[in-house]
Structure formats: C-alpha cells, structure tokens
C-alpha cells in the first residue's frame, strides 16, 4: 500500500504553492488518489524536499502579506497547551508505530528461526539464500540521506507548528498557525466563512467539529445550548485547533449570503501616488470588521457628509484593513473633501457590501483581467483573493490607461509578475486593449474575462469580446468611477 499525502499537505512539505503542485501533477501526468499523491511520486517531482527559506511557498506568502498591505504576522508558536496537545498526539502515534515495529520484529525473528530449522530440507539452497538476504538487509545501516526521512521529519515539524483545517461541505482547506483562531486563519486564507462580531457575542461563526481537537482561546458571552455542545458545536472565533480538524461550517457563496453592515472606520493614511489618484486606507475596529466578497463595493461617508460608492481595492482576507482608489478629478467632490478636509484618525462610515462583480471560484479556466484606469481597484481585490485561495489557474492582467503615470501602482503588478508563476502583466498605454488581449488569447471559449472600468469602456470591450466568441457566462463585468 503506497503512502499517500494530501496535495495540500504535500505542497507545504516541499515548499511550493498548492496550485504549482497541482499544475506539475497535471503536466507530468501523475495519478492522484482522491486528492492524494504518493510519497514516491512527490519525491520524484521534488527530489530535494527541504523547507528552504527561499521556497516558492515562502515567496508567495511574503507577496501576499506585503503586497496586500496586510498586517505582517509574526511566526508565532502556538500556546503551551496547544503545543502540548500536538506533541501528545505525535507521542501517541510514535507509541503505536513502535508497537507495530516490535510486532514485525517478533514475526521476523519467528520466520528466521523457522527457516533455520528447515535449513536441511530439500530446498536447502533457497532457504539459505533467503536467510542470507534477511540477515544482510537487517544489517544494512539506513541510508544517510533518505529523502523519505527528510519528508517525514518536515511533516512532523509541520504538525507541531500548524494545524490543517478542512471545512465541509466545501472541502476548502487551510493552515492554522500560531495562536490564530479557526475563524481568523480561515479568513486570512481567503475563505468567506460566516461570522459577525469576531468576539464571541453573535454566534454567527458556530460550526460543528467532525473530527479533531479544538481549544477555547477566548471567553465568549454567546451561550451554546446543551444540545449544541453535545453535537460538538463550537465558535470558530473563540477556538484554535490542537490537532488537524474537520469542521462543518457555513460559507458565503454569493452576495445574498452577506448582510449589509455599517462600520465606523478610522483613516490610517491617504496617499497620492499620482496627480489623478488618491489611495485611502481605513481600518475597522477589531471587534467589528467588514465582511465582503472580493470585487464588491461599499458606500463611504466622510465627516462633512460627502459620500460616494467605491470598490474595495483590497482582499477580503484582510477584513480590518480596507483600501480604496479614489479618482482625483476636479469634478469629484468626494476626492476634494478627502484631500482638503480629511486626515489620519478621522472617521469614515462604511456601508455595504454591494455588487455582484464576483470571482467564479468553481471555474478552473485561465483568468484574464481587463482594467480600465481606476477599474483596477476591484480587479486588484479579485486577484489578491485568487492568490489567497491559491486558485490553480493562470492569470493575465491587462491594465489599460491613457498615459504612463495612470498606472498608479505599476510596481505592485510587476511584483506579482516577478513572484508568481503563471501571472502575466500587460500594461497598455493609449492602445486598443481588446486588440492586445485577442492577440494574446484568441481562443476566448477557454477563458474567463473580468472587466472593470468606466461604463463606456466596459460596455464597448464586452461587446467586442462577445462578438469575438467569448461565451456570455464567461464575461464578468462592472463599472467604476472614472
Ligand atoms: S463571530 Fe460572533 S460569536 Fe464568533
């Protein structure tokens, strides 16, 4: 029976992203067994299995954390009780493995004794040969650099440092590291888990533990009924995982699954990367974050009552830090109020989310993103969300602007291109973006295309792409402020 590892765990062990491993498995024609790969196949694909610091996994994590303006999370050890629980679990496995080894040793000794007793039998030569082979094999020292041993050593360390969480019925998977709650780790991994307060009051993050051990890490006022406790219900915001855990939990699958919220946020910064663009970073209170789906927008209101609808330009995986790209045009009164009357620490009321410019998570087709000007904001949110989920599809970003400086965060796109496999960036200055897109990908039936930008540009591009053969359901479009 070959030893099997889930693709999710295997990717982490060899230091690549899950999407890279899935692509490699596909390209090399390797057979998987219900989402699992054999250890031998994994070692054939990655003969060197050490977790190096410059591994692709680390690079992608770095890009995610820094490029998303996300809080840089320390690599914390889990707390003492959690560590003790994980070590105890490994100890139980070690004891069981030792018991099995002792049993095999006894069986081997009995076979050897039995063979010795029959050495004078007619098949003496074969028996002697077999005995010689057994003794020789047992006397051989283990290979000094057995890649399997390195792989299993990595796996042991991983199991102490992180817990593997699987959510049902979606089968989404993620790692929980340090002292994160099950909810926090899931949201940071890009999952749209159900939650409200994040502080144990609302009960919306209730989930049922199917297997594994969890531990309460914060007091919660919400009271689980006796029946719920007996059915292993827990609050994901108030528990961490001691061992690998399988949970039954609700996840939003569309805009109707997320309620409208009103959150008073604080301005962290207002930057002006170019004359025509302002980037505002606001932060929600720790206990009242904004739940939204990548690509959605909200209504922002400033203290002088100026308001406007803007796409969130950041990933839902960082639900406290929200970014907005505000076109800085003379006729944009919101931009003017932001520039002239708003400073760090001021309140900004956020109401939302709304909109259905959403990522098609089920699709495995290559993704093409076409942003016109400030339409880059919702596109950025979608791309970061796809990265957080490690969607195994290639991505092409076409960003069309009138002049070079309108590519107001060109460096970010270049950083994505440099850091990620299968991510291509095509800045387009004062050219026909659809023509460039079609030259690059003429087979439109094979791709999903996301378009965002001013109404006229989006509608025109959509018509051209549909006429060129893009199936209607593979066109996802939204309009943004010019
Ligand atoms: S999110 Fe409110 S109780 Fe967990």
């Amino acid at each position: 029976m070959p030893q099997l590892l889930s693709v999710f765990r295997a990717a982490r062990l060899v230091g690549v992203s899950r999407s890279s491993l899935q692509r490699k498995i596909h390209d090399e024609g390797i057979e998987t067994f219900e989402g699992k790969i054999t250890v031998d196949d994994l070692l054939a694909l990655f003969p060197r299995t050490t977790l190096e610091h410059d591994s692709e996994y680390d690079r992608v994590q770095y890009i995610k954390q820094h490029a998303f303006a996300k809080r840089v999370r320390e690599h914390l050890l889990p707390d003492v009780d959690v560590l003790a629980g994980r070590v105890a679990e490994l100890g139980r496995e070690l004891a069981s493995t030792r018991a099995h080894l002792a049993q095999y040793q006894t069986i081997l000794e009995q076979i050897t004794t039995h063979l010795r007793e029959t050495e004078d039998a007619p098949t003496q030569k074969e028996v002697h040969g077999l005995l010689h082979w057994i003794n020789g094999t047992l006397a051989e020292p283990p290979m000094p650099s057995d890649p399997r041993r390195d792989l299993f050593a990595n796996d042991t360390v991983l199991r102490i440092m992180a817990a593997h969480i699987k959510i049902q019925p979606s089968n989404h998977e993620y790692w929980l590291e340090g002292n994160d709650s099950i909810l926090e780790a899931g949201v940071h991994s890009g999952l749209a888990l159900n939650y409200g307060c994040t502080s144990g009051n609302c009960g919306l993050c209730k989930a049922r533990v199917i297997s594994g051990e969890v531990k309460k890490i914060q007091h919660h006022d919400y009271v689980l009924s006796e029946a719920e406790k007996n059915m292993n219900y827990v609050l994901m915001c108030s528990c961490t995982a001691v061992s690998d855990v399988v949970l039954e939990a609700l996840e939003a699958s569309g805009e109707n699954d997320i309620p409208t919220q009103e959150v008073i946020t604080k301005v962290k910064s207002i930057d002006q990367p170019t004359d025509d663009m302002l980037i505002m970073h606001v932060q929600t209170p720790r206990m009242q974050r904004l739940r939204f789906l990548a690509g959605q927008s909200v209504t922002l209101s400033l203290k002088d009552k100026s308001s406007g609808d803007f796409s969130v330009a950041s990933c839902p995986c960082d639900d406290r830090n929200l970014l907005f790209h505000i076109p800085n045009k003379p006729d944009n009164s919101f931009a003017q109020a932001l520039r002239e009357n708003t400073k760090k620490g001021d309140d900004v009321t956020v109401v939302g989310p709304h909109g259905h410019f959403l990522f098609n998570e089920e699709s495995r087709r290559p993704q093409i993103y076409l942003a016109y000007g400030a339409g880059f904001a919702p596109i950025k949110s979608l791309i970061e969300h796809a990265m957080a989920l490690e969607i195994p599809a290639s991505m092409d970003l076409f960003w069309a602007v009138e002049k070079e400086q309108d590519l107001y965060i060109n460096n970010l796109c270049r950083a994505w291109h440099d850091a990620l496999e299968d991510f291509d960036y095509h800045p387009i200055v004062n050219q026909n973006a659809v023509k460039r897109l079609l030259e690059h990908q003429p087979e439109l039936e094979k791709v999903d295309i996301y378009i965002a930008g001013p109404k006229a540009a989006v509608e025109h591009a959509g018509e051209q792409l549909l006429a060129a053969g893009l199936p209607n359901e593979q066109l996802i479009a939204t309009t943004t402020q010019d």
Side-chain angles (χ1 to χ4, degrees):
M1 179 82 177
Q3 287 162 305
L4 297 169
L5 287 168
S6 75
V7 169
F8 188 72
R9 180 176 289 276
R12 181 70 185 267
L13 287 174
V14 295
V16 301
S17 67
R18 180 177 28 164
S19 51
S20 293
L21 178 56
Q22 282 170 329
R23 260 196 310 277
K24 198 144 187 165
I25 288 170
H26 177 263
D27 293 348
E28 302 288 330
I30 302 250
E31 195 179 354
T32 55
F33 307 87
E34 296 176 354
K36 295 183 173 172
I37 180 172
T38 69
V39 169
D40 288 340
D41 283 341
L42 181 66
L43 289 172
L45 290 177
F46 297 92
R48 290 167 52 80
T49 62
T50 50
L51 279 170
E52 291 163 3
H53 286 303
D54 61 352
S55 67
E56 186 203 337
Y57 178 85
D58 286 348
R59 267 191 302 124
V60 172
Q61 296 310 308
Y62 181 86
I63 281 291
K64 280 184 189 174
Q65 290 179 342
H66 290 260
F68 298 3
K70 188 165 164 175
R71 77 187 165 109
V72 179
R73 299 162 64 211
E74 295 169 82
H75 289 285
L76 289 173
L77 274 172
D79 87 10
V80 175
D81 289 345
V82 172
L83 270 180
R86 289 185 189 158
V87 171
E89 177 63 28
L90 281 171
R92 280 192 286 277
E93 265 185 37
L94 183 61
S96 156
T97 309
R98 279 188 174 151
H100 273 104
L101 273 178
Q103 196 180 4
Y104 294 148
Q105 181 75 31
T106 307
I107 293 170
L108 198 57
E109 280 166 9
Q110 286 169 353
I111 292 173
T112 310
T113 307
H114 186 64
L115 287 173
R116 283 216 179 92
E117 286 167 5
T118 54
E119 250 183 320
D120 295 332
T123 52
Q124 177 191 6
K125 197 166 161 218
E126 287 78 5
V127 171
H128 185 74
L130 187 56
L131 265 174
H132 184 71
W133 176 82
I134 291 174
N135 289 332
T137 307
L138 288 177
E140 272 176 20
M143 276 198 289
S145 61
D146 182 353
R148 284 163 169 267
R149 205 171 49 192
D150 293 343
L151 191 74
F152 291 129
N154 284 344
D155 192 39
T156 304
V157 173
L158 182 58
R159 290 175 61 187
I160 291 176
M161 299 299 290
H164 171 220
I165 312 288
K166 187 165 188 174
I167 301 291
Q168 288 187 348
S170 68
N171 282 329
H172 281 137
E173 298 170 88
Y174 59 93
W175 293 106
L176 183 154
E177 295 180 50
N179 287 317
D180 278 355
S181 69
I182 294 170
L183 176 67
E184 253 178 319
V187 171
H188 290 149
S189 304
L191 271 59
L193 290 165
N194 208 34
Y195 69 94
C197 63
T198 72
S199 53
N201 291 310
C202 67
L204 288 175
C205 66
K206 211 184 303 175
R208 189 167 74 86
V209 179
I210 295 171
S211 67
E213 190 183 340
V214 303
K215 176 179 175 283
K216 199 157 131 184
I217 49 172
Q218 70 173 0
H219 167 78
H220 54 78
D221 289 336
Y222 182 85
V223 181
L224 290 161
S225 69
E226 279 310 307
E228 286 172 332
K229 284 185 200 159
N230 290 339
M231 289 170 74
N232 289 336
Y233 276 93
V234 296
L235 297 181
M236 291 188 288
C237 69
S238 303
C239 292
T240 192
V242 175
S243 64
D244 292 350
V245 166
V246 179
L247 286 167
E248 190 178 81
L250 291 174
E251 288 174 80
S253 59
E255 66 268 34
N256 296 332
D257 295 337
I258 297 191
T260 301
Q261 302 140 76
E262 178 172 328
V263 184
I264 311 291
T265 64
K266 295 272 181 219
V267 173
K268 291 287 286 180
S269 63
I270 299 169
D271 295 319
Q272 189 165 1
T274 67
D275 288 348
D276 296 335
M277 186 57 64
L278 298 169
I279 296 184
M280 178 169 66
H281 171 192
V282 300
Q283 195 170 58
T284 72
R286 193 173 292 281
M287 299 303 183
Q288 198 194 1
R289 301 163 185 233
L290 182 78
R291 255 190 102 199
F292 66 101
L293 297 171
Q296 288 195 294
S297 54
V298 294
T299 304
L300 300 178
S301 304
L302 305 178
K303 62 179 186 218
D304 70 354
K305 306 284 183 249
S306 307
S307 68
D309 283 0
F310 295 96
S311 299
V312 185
S314 45
C315 178
C317 54
D318 191 2
D319 51 356
R320 277 200 77 200
N321 293 293
L322 311 174
L323 296 177
F324 298 94
H325 298 173
I326 319 284
N328 186 27
K329 298 284 166 64
D331 58 347
N332 187 332
S333 56
F334 187 90
Q336 188 186 355
L338 202 59
R339 225 175 35 237
E340 296 173 3
N341 303 322
T342 313
K343 59 182 187 320
K344 185 175 176 183
D346 282 353
D347 286 352
V348 176
T349 306
V350 176
V351 177
H354 33 252
H356 35 261
F357 182 59
L358 301 178
F359 188 68
N360 179 2
E361 216 189 292
E362 300 305 314
S363 169
R364 288 296 172 264
R365 287 182 285 271
Q367 298 155 11
I368 294 184
Y369 298 96
L370 173 54
Y372 287 96
F376 178 67
I379 295 279
K380 175 175 175 286
S381 178
L382 289 182
I383 291 173
E384 291 180 349
H385 180 62
M387 287 181 199
L389 284 174
E390 296 186 13
I391 299 289
S394 66
M395 292 189 260
D396 279 280
L397 166 61
F398 292 81
W399 191 2
V401 292
E402 284 175 13
K403 49 191 190 307
E404 186 89 35
Q405 60 265 40
D406 291 339
L407 300 165
Y408 51 88
I409 38 180
N410 203 23
N411 285 348
L412 172 70
C413 305
R414 294 202 183 285
W416 286 343
H417 172 78
D418 290 344
L420 302 168
E421 268 187 36
D422 271 352
F423 182 95
D424 277 333
Y425 173 43
H426 315 263
I428 300 170
V429 180
N430 204 14
Q431 282 178 24
N432 185 330
V434 172
K435 187 162 172 268
R436 280 277 302 278
L437 189 156
L438 288 170
E439 283 164 5
H440 178 79
Q441 175 54 275
E443 298 175 290
L444 296 184
E445 69 286 355
K446 294 186 176 167
V447 297
D448 292 333
I449 300 187
Y450 297 84
I451 313 179
K455 193 166 186 285
V458 169
E459 286 179 355
H460 186 57
E463 283 164 15
Q464 287 180 294
L465 290 166
L466 291 174
L470 178 68
N472 209 25
E473 64 279 10
Q474 290 165 222
L475 172 65
I476 303 105
T478 192
T479 58
T480 56
Q481 283 194 26
D482 195 356

